[in-house]
Amino acid sequence: MTTGHVNLPNSPHPHEPPHPPEPSHPHEPPEPPEPHEPPEPHEPPEPCRPAPPAPSSPGPVRRALRIVAVAATLPYLTLKTMWVAGSHVGIPEGSILREGTLFFAVANGATLLMDAFLVVLVLALTQPWGLRIPSWLMAVPAFVAMGLLTPILTAFPLQQLLRLFGTAPDAAERAAREPFLDPWVFNVVYTGFSIQALALAALFVPYARQRWGHLWRQGAGPVRGARAVAVPAAAGALALAAIQTYWAFGGTGGMTAAMLAQRSADTVMIGAVHAACALAGGAGALLLAFGGGRGGGGGRPARGPLALAWVGGAAAASWGAWLSLAVLAPPPGGDPEMAPTGVLQLAYAGQMITGLLVAVVVTRFLTARRPG
């Protein structure tokens, strides 16, 4: 079998020896070959970033929860709108809320906007465009909303149980106290808040799992940069729990005359819930910072410590900030004995700072797992 011959360019004849290249001039030596340049070092590829989650339309369950959450805001929004307009519905005679001061006007307007913004947050959690909003712009409002609603969701049902067992203040005892709001207002508003809290949590969890779940599923060691923050956060939580325990067992130091007059099983329950939230946030921060919440690699999953830090820290920060603003209100009747004490102001500020420190640990934990 014969094969065709392929002539390569500048190749010698197969039967002739190769000839050396002739110099360009008979008296000049050939130019030396150019030195071989080493190849450029290979740059390592950039770390792979997780693809952004694909937007998807909400299913029937999430649509139903969205309707429930929005409907639960209507009682509070209606009452606040009426109060801003000058109505006294639900406000008894002699209540400080009837004084019509600038502070309460601003407070009513601010809380009206806060609950209205919850509607926007619920829509963002259930619409495809909500996944395109910057992470911080979704996380911060959700952190504040869940922080304000969690103690209500916890304390309000417990207060109703106290009433069933007869340990809550009776009608005569409540009537003897300084009037503030009609009892039905608390029942209607706090029931709505509790429904909002449940619906918001049910909507936020799948959203967070879809958008940020890859961060807490990654295996990693302790977050060393957060240890210096987690320790004072836990110390602040212990201090707050100690103060609430002191008040629960009859201590009066740092309390105002109004607090002493209003003290009951209900107020003790509220204080215990705030202390428990702060302790949960401090414990979660320690677990995240020192590696107790390692995900993957055989370690314990990070979901539990992260949930403790998120919920507990949010409650401490949000309610600490809210109570710090509330004590700025003028005392009833201008009585200086009703003015907040320095201990009370310090306790509320410490509660807020504790929650913010926990938030820093959560942020550091998540950003440490972000590639790149």
Side-chain angles (χ1 to χ4, degrees), residues 22-301:
E22 296 181 357
S24 58
H25 190 275
H27 301 289
E28 294 180 0
E31 296 180 0
E34 296 181 359
H36 178 68
E37 297 182 359
E40 296 182 0
H42 178 67
E43 297 182 358
E46 296 183 359
C48 298
R49 298 181 181 271
S56 59
S57 299
V61 175
R62 295 176 67 191
R63 287 197 296 267
L65 288 171
R66 179 175 61 195
I67 295 174
V68 169
V70 173
T73 64
L74 295 180
Y76 189 75
L77 291 178
T78 302
L79 278 173
K80 285 292 182 176
T81 302
M82 296 173 67
W83 292 344
V84 170
S87 174
H88 292 157
V89 174
I91 304 176
E93 291 288 344
S95 173
I96 188 177
L97 298 178
R98 282 185 176 247
E99 295 181 2
T101 62
L102 178 62
F103 179 88
F104 288 114
V106 173
N108 281 330
T111 50
L112 173 65
L113 292 176
M114 288 169 61
D115 212 39
F117 189 78
L118 181 69
V119 177
V120 180
L121 178 61
V122 167
L123 294 176
L125 292 174
T126 55
Q127 295 292 338
W129 52 264
L131 292 170
R132 296 189 290 269
I133 298 177
S135 292
W136 69 268
L137 197 54
M138 285 296 296
V140 172
F143 185 82
V144 174
M146 296 182 71
L148 290 173
L149 292 173
T150 295
I152 295 175
L153 176 62
T154 307
F156 182 63
L158 294 176
Q159 290 174 337
Q160 305 311 306
L161 286 176
L162 291 177
R163 283 170 172 75
L164 291 177
F165 290 100
T167 57
D170 55 21
E173 186 179 353
R174 290 195 299 269
R177 296 177 177 175
E178 189 75 22
F180 187 70
L181 286 172
D182 290 335
W184 67 265
V185 175
F186 288 103
N187 294 331
V188 170
V189 170
Y190 278 34
T191 299
F193 283 160
S194 299
I195 296 174
Q196 291 176 42
L198 292 173
L200 181 63
L203 291 173
F204 181 75
V205 169
Y207 178 93
R209 184 186 299 115
Q210 182 179 7
R211 184 159 189 180
W212 303 301
H214 62 280
L215 296 179
W216 65 72
R217 283 193 295 264
Q218 296 178 22
V223 185
R224 299 185 183 277
R227 291 183 176 182
V229 183
V231 172
L238 289 174
L240 178 63
I243 293 174
Q244 293 293 348
T245 302
Y246 166 72
W247 285 340
F249 283 91
T252 60
M255 299 183 73
T256 64
M259 292 177 64
L260 291 173
Q262 299 286 339
R263 185 157 64 175
S264 65
D266 282 352
T267 58
V268 171
M269 179 65 68
I270 294 172
V273 168
H274 283 303
C277 289
L279 289 174
L286 288 177
L287 289 173
L288 293 177
F290 286 88
R294 290 192 298 271
R300 287 177 289 180

Side-chain angles (χ1 to χ4, degrees), residues 3-33:
T3 58
H5 178 69
V6 179
N7 291 324
L8 299 177
N10 301 326
S11 62
H13 193 275
H15 300 291
E16 295 180 1
H19 298 282
E22 296 181 357
S24 58
H25 190 275
H27 301 289
E28 294 180 0
E31 296 180 0

Side-chain angles (χ1 to χ4, degrees), residues 358-368:
V358 175
V360 171
V361 175
V362 172
T363 303
R364 182 70 185 92
F365 176 83
L366 294 177
T367 54

